[in-house]
Amino acid sequence: MESNGAAARIHADVLVVGAGLSGLVAAAEAYNAGRKVVVLDQEPEASLGGQAHWSFGGLFMVDSPEQRHLGVKDSVELAWGDWLGSAGFDRPADEWPRRWAEAYVNFAAGEKRAWLHALGVRFFPLVQWAERGGYDAQGHGNSVPRFHVVWGTGPGILEPFLSKVKEGVAAGRVQLLFRHRATSLTFDGGTVTGVAGQVLEPSHVPRGAASSREPVGEFTALADAVVVTTGGIGGNHHMVRRQWPGGNSPGFMLTGVPASVDGEFQQVVAGSGGSLVNTDRMWHYPEGIHNPDPVWPNHGIRILSGPSPLWLDATGHRLPGPLFPGFDSLGTLRHLGATGHDHSWFVLNKTIISKEFALSGSEQNPDLTGKDVKLLARRALPGATGPVQKFIDAGIDFVQAGTPQELAEKMNTLVGSELIDPQGLHDTIAARDMQVASGLGKDAQVNAIREARRFATDKLMRVVPPHAMMAPEHGPLIAVRLSTLTRKSLGGLLTNLNSQVLDGGGSPIPGLYAAGEAAGFGGGGMHGYRSLEGTFLGGCLFSGRSAGRHAAGGPSA
């Protein structure tokens, strides 16, 4: 697919601004409806597909064949209860987000899997259990496992929509214009008629790497409908800090998305009358580590851990329940933010890291991404996976030792401060080990580990049996320094269920639509305060499909 050079004036039936997953879905749907489509993106062609390419490919689904095969009893009623308990909708601006959330949960329990299956998408059969919660029945978290990993991860979910768009390019009805940076909306009266912007100089940087913003020309693109799919703000730390709830953002953060995820076109739409809501709701992760082979600036990777590592704050104190690995991302982030330090720790051993550590992202899971069954089978062998072992060996956040006291010394050396008391670390681990040895015990995390192993996927590939962490045969001990990793903005442009952008009075702006993270994955924030995970790619699919179909009907659709 070749990008066009500088163009003074571009015409289309549907104009899509942003070539990530939601933009490609919208373009494919508009093309399927017989429309002429132009897709603009400020990045070079190498970055086609946006953030979705880098994702682990997890999708939230309800009462799927994969769940039923594993004995999981799920229902739309249970899922909707979990969603409400996690979202915590409590604002007047949550009317449309709540409607989008309900529609999405019904989609995830109904048409979603069949629609994707018909497009050729397949799923890894072992469903994962993300965001387990651990509060009461009406609180945050997934009551049952719902995280379905796409066979092929992020690239696998992009594949059918890329293929459809390529078909449209070959048919002369879809045009992809890279290095076209939209900077304003154009209007005729109150109707959006297109966008104007800059043509940027050619760039040959690899996928995800920062590209220049040097303009070499200008353009105007006109269309019957404009769909904004420009993503969120995770690559723009200035904007993340400005929107941080309470204003108390961490002093240091890693970046979990490319620098192009800057949120700037959201602001353009807001400045042109679109309603931008819930901007203080964001979804960042507390389990970030430095990527030893970075692609974009300050590149971090999220650890996807099983429940066994001890999670300690910067001073060596265990986090309170249920703030265990994989249980409550936002609750953990809030707790750590109140400690006055920018880092925390996982403390574990070789046995735990070999089975319970995975890394988020397509590039960190070559077996699933490459659909390589032989390589996947190696996960059942002793030892950490290749990508995890690379981080253990080369990552700057990992230290190992034979005793807790030696480990504490190395932890303190790594951060340059005597924050961890060596004897205190020993006593914390020893107390936990005595709870394991009791066979029963009062330690909520140890009991959560035992409970997790009742689920087949966890017992097979995610959770080791409880054991004495200091036992030599399970050593060495390992500590991993964790930092906040920026990722998703949960708020966004306010949209109705037709994906039309609404103005401050709640009326649709004719000709203007939004989808994906730019729209808070639907309605300006269908997640509310918290995600149940697997709902970001799914939100892009659902809102992108809606935007493409309704934009194809024209300004009054």
Side-chain angles (χ1 to χ4, degrees):
M1 291 176 287
E2 297 296 327
S3 61
N4 229 17
R9 191 172 289 268
I10 302 157
H11 295 272
D13 298 322
V14 175
L15 179 68
V16 179
V17 186
L21 176 59
S22 58
L24 293 172
V25 174
E29 290 292 337
Y31 162 68
N32 277 338
R35 302 296 182 262
K36 179 182 178 182
V37 182
V38 170
V39 182
L40 307 176
D41 199 279
Q42 65 185 1
E43 295 306 300
E45 185 174 359
S47 289
L48 180 62
Q51 296 178 65
H53 172 86
W54 302 98
S55 76
F56 191 41
L59 291 176
F60 174 96
M61 288 192 290
V62 177
D63 193 26
S64 70
E66 290 79 12
Q67 287 174 296
R68 293 194 294 270
H69 181 73
L70 293 168
V72 174
K73 298 178 181 179
D74 201 5
S75 68
V76 67
E77 294 81 11
L78 183 63
W80 180 233
D82 286 349
W83 195 289
L84 288 176
S86 299
F89 295 125
D90 61 359
R91 299 173 176 174
D94 285 334
E95 178 185 354
W96 283 111
R98 183 184 174 110
R99 292 189 192 183
W100 269 91
E102 186 171 14
Y104 178 70
V105 170
N106 281 290
F107 175 65
E111 185 185 359
K112 182 179 184 180
R113 187 185 183 281
W115 175 59
L116 291 172
H117 197 272
L119 293 173
V121 176
R122 298 295 182 266
F123 299 96
F124 184 56
L126 298 178
V127 183
Q128 308 291 308
W129 198 345
E131 286 294 302
R132 302 174 191 232
Y135 302 94
D136 63 35
Q138 294 178 298
H140 168 63
N142 284 295
S143 298
V144 297
R146 298 189 175 107
F147 191 86
H148 297 65
V149 177
V150 171
W151 187 233
T153 67
I157 197 65
L158 281 167
E159 186 175 346
F161 305 103
L162 284 170
S163 296
K164 180 59 66 172
V165 168
K166 289 179 182 179
E167 176 190 309
V169 170
R173 298 214 327 264
V174 175
Q175 190 175 17
L176 291 164
L177 298 178
F178 302 104
R179 305 300 284 159
H180 280 62
R181 184 170 183 260
T183 58
S184 64
L185 293 167
T186 59
F187 287 83
D188 182 0
T191 299
V192 171
T193 59
V195 302
Q198 300 170 332
V199 180
L200 304 178
E201 67 178 358
S203 174
H204 302 288
V205 299
R207 178 187 291 276
S211 62
S212 79
R213 292 292 178 263
E214 185 65 31
V216 295
E218 297 180 345
F219 74 92
T220 300
L222 302 176
D224 294 332
V226 174
V227 182
V228 177
T229 58
T230 50
I233 67 172
N236 185 339
H237 280 209
H238 174 73
M239 195 173 292
V240 169
R241 293 184 188 282
R242 191 175 73 207
Q243 296 180 185
W244 197 274
N248 189 28
S249 63
F252 174 78
M253 297 185 291
L254 292 167
T255 308
V257 295
S260 58
V261 187
D262 56 27
E264 292 184 6
F265 202 71
Q266 274 188 338
Q267 302 298 320
V268 169
V269 176
S272 299
S275 186
L276 182 60
V277 299
N278 298 320
T279 57
D280 61 324
R281 294 177 179 169
M282 295 179 281
W283 191 252
H284 307 306
Y285 292 112
E287 314 102 320
I289 54 176
H290 293 79
N291 188 345
D293 188 18
V295 176
W296 52 78
N298 206 30
H299 189 171
I301 296 292
R302 184 196 177 199
I303 294 174
L304 301 173
S305 177
S308 297
L310 291 176
W311 203 332
L312 310 181
D313 67 20
T315 62
H317 294 93
R318 282 183 74 177
L319 272 57
L323 304 184
F324 314 132
F327 279 65
D328 181 1
S329 294
L330 182 62
T332 302
L333 197 63
R334 286 174 173 169
H335 176 85
L336 293 173
T339 66
H341 297 280
D342 294 339
H343 70 279
S344 63
W345 296 95
F346 279 163
V347 172
L348 62 163
N349 58 27
K350 184 178 179 180
T351 295
I352 294 171
I353 206 169
S354 295
K355 187 168 186 176
E356 296 202 13
F357 261 35
L359 300 169
S360 182
S362 57
E363 79 280 23
Q364 304 301 334
N365 295 276
D367 48 0
L368 292 165
T369 302
K371 304 179 182 180
D372 189 327
V373 176
K374 290 183 178 179
L375 186 59
L376 180 65
R378 295 179 63 180
R379 291 191 184 228
L381 300 176
T385 64
V388 171
Q389 190 62 51
K390 177 182 176 180
F391 275 73
I392 296 172
D393 296 338
I396 65 172
D397 298 300
F398 290 73
V399 294
Q400 303 180 53
T403 69
Q405 291 88 343
E406 293 171 353
L407 190 69
E409 291 174 4
K410 291 186 176 183
M411 294 161 73
N412 288 334
T413 298
L414 182 62
V415 301
S417 182
E418 301 293 317
L419 293 173
I420 305 292
D421 173 54
Q423 187 60 44
L425 181 61
H426 172 275
D427 293 348
T428 295
I429 299 174
R432 178 260 185 207
D433 284 357
M434 282 194 289
Q435 292 291 304
V436 173
S438 75
L440 294 171
K442 63 184 179 182
D443 189 292
Q445 184 174 4
V446 172
N447 291 331
I449 294 166
R450 293 180 177 130
E451 186 68 16
R453 285 179 55 81
R454 293 178 56 204
F455 174 50
T457 298
D458 282 344
K459 186 173 184 178
L460 178 64
M461 62 177 292
R462 288 292 287 158
V463 185
V464 299
H467 60 274
M469 192 175 288
M470 288 194 292
E473 64 269 23
H474 295 292
L477 292 169
I478 302 168
V480 188
R481 178 181 58 182
L482 308 173
S483 303
T484 299
L485 180 73
T486 65
R487 188 62 68 86
K488 299 295 182 186
S489 45
L490 299 185
L493 297 168
L494 185 64
T495 58
N496 61 20
L497 289 176
N498 290 344
S499 294
Q500 294 171 291
V501 176
L502 307 181
D503 63 20
S507 298
I509 299 175
L512 186 61
Y513 301 79
E517 194 172 354
F521 303 95
M526 72 172 188
H527 295 89
Y529 289 96
R530 281 180 165 95
S531 168
L532 288 172
E533 291 289 12
T535 55
F536 299 131
L537 290 177
C540 288
L541 293 168
F542 187 53
S543 61
R545 189 175 82 153
S546 170
R549 291 180 178 182
H550 289 99
S556 61

